[in-house]
Amino acid sequence: MDYQFKQIEKEWQKFWAQHQTFKAEVDTNKPKYYVLDMFPYPSGAGLHVGHPLGYIASDIFARYKRLKGFNVLHPMGYDSFGLPAEQYAIQTGQHPAKTTETNINRYREQLDNLGFSFDWSKEVRTSSPDYYKWTQWIFMQLFNAWYNKETDRAEHISTLIAKLETIPATEIKAVCDDDVLPLLPSDWSAMSEEEKQSELLKYRLTYLKESTVNWCAALGTVLANDEVKDGFSERGGHPVEQKKMMQWSMRISAYADRLLKGLNDIDWPEPLKEMQRNWIGKSEGAMVSFELEGHSQQVSVFTTRVDTLYGVSFLAIAPEHELVASLTTPAQKAEIDAYILATKKKSELDRMADVKTVSGAFTGSYAINPLSGEKVPVWIADYVLAGYGTGAVMAVPSGDQRDYLFAKHFNLPIVQILDAQICDTEADPTKEGRYVNSGIINGLTYKEAVAKIVAALEEKGMGYAKVNYRMRDAIFGRQRYWGEPVPVYFKNGLPYLIQEEELPLLLPEIDKYLPTESGEPPLGRAKDWKYQDEYEYELSTMPGWAGSSWYWYRYMDANNDAAFADKDKIAYWRDVDLYIGGNEHATGHLLYSRFWNKFLKDMGYVVEEEPFKKLINQGMIQGRSNFVYRVNDIDGKGTNEFVSYGQKSNYSVTPLHVDVNIVNNDTLDIEAFRNFRPEYKDAVFIYEDGSNSLSAEDGRGEAKYICGHEVEKMSKSKFNVVNPDDLVERYGADTLRMYEMFLGPLEQSKPWNTNGIEGVFKFLRKFWKLFHDENFNFQVSDAAPTKAELKALHKIIKKVEEDIERFSFNTSVSSFMIAVNELTDLKCNKKAVLQELVILLSPYAPHITEELWKLLGNRPGTLSFAQFPTFNPVYLVEDEFAYPVSVNGKTKTNLLLPLTMEPSEVEKVVLADEQIQKYLDGKTPKKVIVVKGRIINLVV
RNA sequence: GCUGAAGUGGUGGAACUGGUAGACACGCAGGACUUAAAAUCCUGUUCGCCCUAAAGCGAGUGCGGGUUCGAUUCCCGCCUUCAGUACCA
């Protein structure tokens, strides 16, 4: 029979499911390999053709590793808590769990269509109580932990309590809030239980704190920094404002340095690591305190250029800074108030777009330079961010451009501090030369100056060296319904954990998925939802990233209800060897996951410091839209006439999107177009050849309407969404799998273009034909392969292995085509060759190869665990080589010579060659370069 | 602005350590088969010049330089596109 992909694919998908072919069990006799995909959020739109790209690549790799003798864990699941299901619930009243279930089923169906080798017995769903029980459990561990800088790891809170009982709190090296009390052991023991709890909260790795948050009124929730884009929410594009709220936070900043260092040990794309480095934003500098004239408080600033301290001509503090009110003199009050009001009015977006305008206001107060004793004015300015450093800067106009502009604008002094510094027209941040106008560091170089200034500040108690990070602690709460409940209740305003045995804390049912009338989160609607019928539960839920920050461990032991995963299983599977996903998760998911992983390692629950050893970003698949061109009449109004792409320059036209699914290789399906919309029913066309009737005059076939095209985002409104199911229906999963790989390098973003899928389909048919005679009877021979056949085979063995190892799947598809073309030309139907080829191709096209494997007489289903063919270089050895002969680097001709011939001998033959003499034009070459087995170059 | 990635035929792309640029595929053109079409198969296809043809000549990997016998590949400068980030003190 001809290649019947539909029947073959259904049959094998059923077989794999029934036999649980890909179920992975711990097997200490085999090396493990863990291949993971970033699990999807099951949206209502289903999978489009861009989603499976990474899944196909990882599936090929997983199948390849199985053939190489590895015990492969290759699971899949769903990140099923999230906003869209809840938005839908608000609109329709339908429970998000129900929508989610429907969407998951659809996803599963689509995934099953593609023949992935997932171990579905280990499926996880973050929204299932069996799963979020353990997300809550990890939250509890974080609550019960603090970060000890001495041991450089997280520890149980009990070790902190032990310290507080024995040593002064000031001697405890902890990552904690700034306002921890300087308690003595006696103070601690004198505290009430509640006072103690309140103090411990300042140390816990997850803690409740009043913080400035990104509040999105339209979504009714708080967003993380990475969910805000240019002052608008990433999802939905609603405005976001700064607001103070009590919020759960995760002390990820405790891990800043380890998160930074760990990047050196993992095999991730360099750009991705760079993004994380920038996000963590480590900067080394110093804290400097300035006394304030007439006040008891001080202002401290963070600076990376403590050497410029003598160049400070004013202090600038954020309008939100806590000292603004007390620093403002009566005379300046009106001006300051007006400025603060103006700043608040400006939206985040304006403030960013408006980088060039200098603005600020003088408080009327003065600060004292700790080293020079000089009086400098204190200003407020919106270029100083409340959220970074201390929310105050020491302004050095000679060395910092923003300070420079500010000083120019407000006529403040600009003091040169280095002899090599040129700051007549702009700031000069270089560190060259020796210091001038700089008190104790005059005449010194940069390096000497920094050390001396830090020492002087430390001696006076006015400053110290400090490392600062841009990364803030992560907000860990959403005022939303469809997320994990936080396992916390409140007693006298203080948070307490519920008991571990009481997990999971189930998401309660509510009547509407909206905030309460008093503005509390939706959980405030739950009736009689109280801990021990008495205490209020936490009403916010966990953010989207909670469930995805540890899910790869759950796959190891998905059905365990005694632990998030069994210790022995974690000890076997350890970490993810290969992780494939989009790079939109660079600073969110991937950073939080590394953080939780390090914490779990500190607490002894897992074994590896880093969760994802190797990571690959698959490129985004963009949409490729098609256009028809509607002709406008003289008044510019649209007509019902459409002109083909090549003829459109002769008319005034309006381009209109047309559904890519009724366009084939940019040729419009006229019939389908007429049915696309009622108003097109009687459309008139001007075809590519300029004619306006379907059949050309000479009867040489049909005229064509050619569409224009453009690359855009894949979206419904642009009619460029391509559904994988349609392509599977037409060409089969094996063709789609190979075509997605054939499209180009995995990491590269590219527009989806179905043109060309035929080529891959033809290839598979040609491959099928190798095993069949003209009448499609299965027929292979047991004869011994010829030298040429073995050469073709071993060439592809070598190529495919090398390509898979470097994730170059597109080139191996080409190589398969070449191999099949060669074997077809050789009329090869030798089992010895074809059977090896079946194994080689099986990771790419698993269905057709399973079928042929069976037809070749092997036990069904054993292909997945066959042995990957071994490359033997003997078959590729050549004894002759057609040397390209070039003159001055330009190739002129080829010369067939034995490979054993030595270069000196080659040179002689070349110079004697009649043909080559012609190119030399009678001249004697100055030099002859012979690279054995490569090239001959004559220099004239 | 800063950081990163990338620019190769009509299109997707290949060329892995500097060694025959354009593999493989799409599209297109021509042909075979067919009453016809679809499907299939064969031939050609970087551009320009020359030519009945065979053959030949020249240019060519974003642009301008450099290193080298030889550069898509290495170095310097510039341009364009995409992504991330954005007053970070």
Side-chain angles (χ1 to χ4, degrees):
Chain A
M1 251 199 299
D2 196 357
Y3 170 40
Q4 300 287 331
F5 60 86
K6 265 185 213 175
Q7 189 191 321
I8 292 172
E9 291 182 356
K10 278 284 151 280
E11 179 191 325
W12 286 103
Q13 284 163 11
K14 211 170 106 194
F15 182 96
W16 296 326
Q18 272 174 1
H19 293 81
Q20 300 210 50
T21 308
F22 306 111
K23 189 165 176 171
E25 302 284 10
V26 168
D27 178 356
T28 48
N29 297 317
K30 267 184 166 183
K32 69 100 187 183
Y33 202 90
Y34 189 170
V35 182
L36 183 65
D37 294 286
M38 288 186 188
F39 63 168
Y41 173 79
S43 83
L47 290 175
H48 70 62
V49 103
H51 292 111
L53 185 75
Y55 304 157
I56 295 168
S58 64
D59 195 58
I60 290 171
F61 205 79
R63 286 176 180 273
Y64 166 74
K65 279 287 173 184
R66 272 187 211 106
L67 297 175
K68 280 284 190 180
F70 286 84
N71 187 19
V72 174
L73 177 58
H74 185 40
M76 185 45 90
Y78 308 96
D79 189 12
S80 47
F81 272 134
L83 277 181
E86 184 161 352
Q87 291 293 76
Y88 190 73
I90 291 169
Q91 285 160 22
T92 64
Q94 182 148 194
H95 198 290
K98 213 178 148 196
T99 343
T100 303
E101 172 84 25
T102 312
N103 292 347
I104 284 178
N105 291 339
R106 169 128 176 74
Y107 265 62
R108 176 63 190 274
E109 216 175 287
Q110 289 186 292
L111 290 170
D112 281 347
N113 262 336
L114 291 166
F116 294 124
S117 64
F118 293 131
D119 175 357
W120 284 108
S121 73
K122 297 185 173 62
E123 182 201 283
V124 304
R125 301 177 184 195
T126 55
S127 62
S128 131
D130 310 340
Y131 182 89
Y132 70 65
K133 171 179 174 180
W134 298 107
T135 310
Q136 292 172 333
W137 181 85
I138 293 170
F139 175 92
M140 292 170 79
Q141 310 311 305
L142 283 154
F143 185 86
N144 277 329
W146 67 294
Y147 201 90
N148 186 346
K149 283 200 255 185
E150 247 163 356
T151 54
D152 198 22
R153 51 167 283 235
E155 292 180 13
H156 193 270
I157 199 80
S158 58
T159 67
L160 175 67
I161 295 170
K163 279 186 193 289
L164 287 166
E165 282 166 353
T166 51
I167 58 170
T170 48
E171 284 173 27
I172 300 171
K173 295 222 164 44
V175 179
C176 56
D177 293 353
D178 300 329
D179 60 346
V180 292
L181 302 171
L183 299 171
L184 295 171
S186 54
D187 300 329
W188 171 258
S189 46
M191 280 176 129
S192 71
E193 186 53 32
E194 275 166 27
E195 286 170 324
K196 284 181 179 174
Q197 284 305 323
S198 159
E199 188 63 16
L200 286 176
L201 206 47
K202 299 172 185 170
Y203 291 86
R204 297 180 188 278
L205 286 185
T206 182
Y207 60 100
L208 202 52
K209 200 191 177 190
E210 168 147 291
S211 36
T212 315
V213 297
N214 303 304
W215 172 253
C216 179
L219 294 174
T221 192
V222 160
L223 301 172
N225 285 331
D226 54 278
E227 292 170 314
V228 183
K229 291 253 147 45
D230 301 331
F232 290 90
S233 63
E234 195 181 24
R235 278 192 177 159
H238 306 290
V240 173
E241 57 177 304
Q242 303 295 304
K243 191 175 161 186
K244 291 214 165 194
M245 275 179 91
M246 274 306 245
Q247 278 293 321
W248 285 99
S249 274
M250 286 280 165
R251 219 178 284 281
I252 187 173
S253 58
Y255 285 87
D257 212 42
R258 276 167 69 186
L259 288 168
L260 196 61
K261 283 200 197 109
L263 290 172
N264 300 329
D265 308 323
I266 47 184
D267 184 5
W268 287 17
E270 201 45 52
L272 180 58
K273 289 196 200 179
E274 199 55 33
M275 260 191 251
Q276 292 212 342
R277 283 190 196 107
N278 291 339
W279 193 261
I280 295 165
K282 181 177 183 171
S283 54
E284 291 177 60
M287 291 293 279
V288 183
S289 300
F290 284 73
E291 288 191 340
L292 295 161
E293 195 182 49
H295 289 267
S296 54
Q297 297 112 312
Q298 300 181 335
V299 172
S300 43
V301 302
F302 174 74
T303 177
T304 53
R305 287 296 299 275
V306 70
D307 60 301
T308 63
L309 188 51
Y310 285 94
V312 172
S313 48
F314 61 98
L315 290 192
I317 64 177
E320 299 90 344
H321 197 280
E322 50 181 12
L323 289 177
V324 170
S326 60
L327 285 178
T328 305
T329 58
Q332 293 299 109
K333 187 154 190 336
E335 198 184 320
I336 291 284
D337 287 350
Y339 185 71
I340 292 175
L341 197 69
T343 316
K344 269 199 186 144
K345 260 199 207 156
K346 269 203 242 174
S347 74
E348 187 89 356
L349 191 66
D350 294 339
R351 221 166 131 170
M352 276 193 288
D354 196 20
V355 175
K356 283 181 194 96
T357 320
V358 177
S359 72
F362 178 43
T363 60
S365 293
Y366 290 87
I368 316 288
N369 188 313
L371 290 191
S372 70
E374 202 187 333
K375 246 174 70 172
V376 292
V378 181
W379 286 66
I380 65 172
D382 66 3
Y383 80 84
V384 182
L385 304 174
Y388 183 75
T390 59
V393 305
M394 55 177 231
V396 186
S398 59
D400 182 281
Q401 187 59 20
R402 291 155 315 170
D403 297 347
Y404 185 92
L405 291 172
F406 196 90
K408 275 272 172 201
H409 192 259
F410 292 109
N411 262 319
L412 294 157
I414 298 169
V415 186
Q416 185 184 1
I417 47 158
L418 282 154
D419 53 9
Q421 194 173 41
I422 304 156
C423 48
D424 306 335
T425 53
E426 57 177 2
D428 177 1
T430 54
K431 300 162 185 169
E432 255 99 88
R434 292 180 183 271
Y435 289 85
V436 293
N437 304 323
S438 290
I440 59 166
I441 55 166
N442 276 331
L444 299 183
T445 61
Y446 172 73
K447 267 200 170 161
E448 298 160 346
V450 171
K452 187 147 186 184
I453 286 206
V454 171
L457 287 170
E458 274 176 355
E459 195 183 320
K460 288 192 168 187
M462 296 302 284
Y464 53 93
K466 157 139 187 149
V467 175
N468 210 31
Y469 295 94
R470 178 181 168 268
M471 184 170 67
R472 316 259 42 97
D473 280 347
I475 305 284
F476 196 74
R478 299 293 120 99
Q479 285 59 49
R480 282 290 183 152
Y481 175 71
W482 191 231
E484 300 87 346
V486 177
V488 161
Y489 65 93
F490 289 86
K491 194 158 106 186
N492 298 326
L494 283 170
Y496 293 91
L497 294 177
I498 66 171
Q499 296 301 304
E500 225 175 278
E501 310 80 72
E502 291 163 331
L503 292 176
L505 174 61
L506 293 173
L507 195 55
E509 294 302 317
I510 55 175
D511 56 344
K512 278 198 279 191
Y513 306 97
L514 290 170
T516 64
E517 279 65 32
S518 53
E520 288 187 315
L523 287 187
R525 295 179 171 274
K527 284 212 178 66
D528 309 320
W529 194 55
K530 292 243 162 67
Y531 184 63
Q532 296 175 348
D533 296 325
E534 191 178 352
Y535 305 109
E536 285 286 351
Y537 277 119
E538 169 62 52
L539 296 181
S540 55
T541 50
M542 297 190 194
W545 54 270
S548 59
S549 295
W550 69 279
Y551 75 111
W552 64 96
Y553 285 115
R554 190 60 179 171
Y555 282 137
M556 295 176 186
D557 194 9
N559 303 307
N560 194 332
D561 56 7
F564 69 91
D566 180 76
K567 256 189 142 45
D568 293 339
K569 291 187 178 167
I570 294 172
Y572 178 74
W573 295 111
R574 305 186 76 85
D575 56 1
V576 174
D577 295 282
L578 174 66
Y579 196 21
I580 295 187
N583 77 355
E584 65 271 23
H585 299 109
T587 49
H589 162 62
L590 289 172
L591 208 50
Y592 297 133
S593 294
R594 294 180 60 219
F595 158 43
W596 278 31
N597 190 79
K598 284 174 194 296
F599 168 71
L600 291 171
K601 161 102 190 306
D602 285 351
M603 304 310 284
Y605 296 118
V606 306
V607 289
E608 295 285 349
E609 174 80 11
E610 289 289 339
F612 315 123
K613 220 181 280 174
K614 179 172 178 69
L615 184 136
I616 291 182
N617 283 132
Q618 94 257 23
M620 266 236 308
I621 297 278
Q622 294 139 307
R624 185 182 188 274
S625 311
N626 274 118
F627 295 89
V628 290
Y629 299 92
R630 188 173 65 194
V631 176
N632 297 319
D633 62 17
I634 308 163
D635 306 324
K637 257 180 65 191
T639 62
N640 207 14
E641 191 172 19
F642 296 85
V643 58
S644 185
Y645 181 75
Q647 294 287 332
K648 77 176 164 69
S649 52
N650 303 326
Y651 301 84
S652 154
V653 295
T654 307
L656 300 171
H657 278 97
V658 60
D659 189 346
V660 293
N661 294 298
I662 61 168
V663 177
N664 194 6
N665 282 331
D666 290 337
T667 305
L668 184 68
D669 180 337
I670 301 285
E671 233 3 79
F673 182 73
R674 288 188 197 280
N675 297 325
F676 181 43
R677 279 189 185 163
E679 64 261 38
Y680 297 153
K681 192 110 196 84
D682 305 310
V684 180
F685 300 93
I686 299 163
Y687 297 94
E688 192 66 11
D689 59 4
S691 70
N692 50 15
S693 69
L694 260 185
S695 311
E697 311 291 306
D698 57 8
R700 284 195 309 137
E702 288 189 348
K704 280 179 175 175
Y705 185 98
I706 303 295
C707 298
H709 62 89
E710 220 171 277
V711 174
E712 300 177 291
K713 235 187 103 169
M714 200 174 270
S715 93
K716 266 187 188 166
S717 64
K718 297 183 164 56
F719 296 105
N720 60 5
V721 176
V722 181
N723 186 327
D725 303 354
D726 297 343
L727 295 171
V728 168
E729 176 68 23
R730 267 175 78 181
Y731 301 103
D734 284 340
T735 296
L736 180 61
R737 287 170 65 108
M738 291 196 83
Y739 183 61
E740 292 227 8
M741 294 296 101
F742 188 58
L743 224 44
L746 181 62
E747 303 91 330
Q748 228 166 71
S749 285
K750 57 226 152 197
W752 176 265
N753 187 348
T754 310
N755 300 355
I757 195 169
E758 301 265 355
V760 174
F761 184 61
K762 274 191 226 167
F763 156 75
L764 283 177
R765 292 189 56 181
K766 213 164 166 182
F767 176 64
W768 181 259
K769 276 194 202 161
L770 280 177
F771 298 77
H772 295 82
D773 63 18
E774 312 84 80
N775 303 316
F776 291 107
N777 296 312
F778 183 81
Q779 193 173 66
V780 292
S781 119
D782 285 325
T786 65
K787 214 175 141 190
E789 290 164 345
L790 284 169
K791 187 177 163 190
L793 175 67
H794 282 266
K795 220 163 66 183
I796 184 77
I797 295 174
K798 179 167 189 274
K799 179 75 175 153
V800 168
E801 179 155 5
E802 284 172 359
D803 283 351
I804 296 184
E805 293 284 354
R806 64 193 172 104
F807 303 94
S808 175
F809 302 110
N810 55 322
T811 50
S812 41
V813 175
S814 299
S815 307
F816 277 122
M817 290 174 172
I818 294 170
V820 167
N821 288 346
E822 281 173 356
L823 292 174
T824 303
D825 289 345
L826 291 167
K827 298 196 171 28
C828 172
N829 71 340
K830 314 266 171 67
K831 185 176 172 182
V833 171
L834 297 185
Q835 176 145 309
E836 299 281 83
L837 194 57
V838 163
I839 301 172
L840 279 180
L841 187 66
S842 67
Y844 292 80
H847 308 90
I848 189 174
T849 47
E850 281 275 18
E851 183 69 15
L852 290 168
W853 182 253
K854 185 182 74 181
L855 290 172
L856 283 165
N858 299 289
R859 194 154 70 83
T862 54
L863 175 59
S864 298
F865 305 95
Q867 210 205 322
F868 195 84
T870 318
F871 167 62
N872 187 345
V874 165
Y875 300 113
L876 298 197
V877 172
E878 303 272 356
D879 37 6
E880 277 187 328
F881 178 69
Y883 278 94
V885 181
S886 51
V887 177
N888 289 336
K890 292 272 169 206
T891 311
K892 297 293 179 185
T893 185
N894 285 315
L895 193 62
L896 195 65
L897 293 171
L899 271 167
T900 49
M901 193 182 268
E902 287 307 311
S904 55
E905 194 69 18
V906 171
E907 190 176 329
K908 269 185 228 159
V909 179
V910 168
L911 291 177
D913 190 275
E914 206 173 303
Q915 176 101 25
I916 287 156
Q917 274 304 324
K918 219 171 65 191
Y919 295 111
L920 289 176
D921 208 17
K923 287 170 227 154
T924 315
K926 267 192 277 187
K927 204 169 167 188
V928 180
I929 288 137
V930 178
V931 183
K932 210 170 167 184
R934 284 253 183 227
I935 199 166
I936 299 163
N937 192 15
L938 306 172
V939 188
V940 181

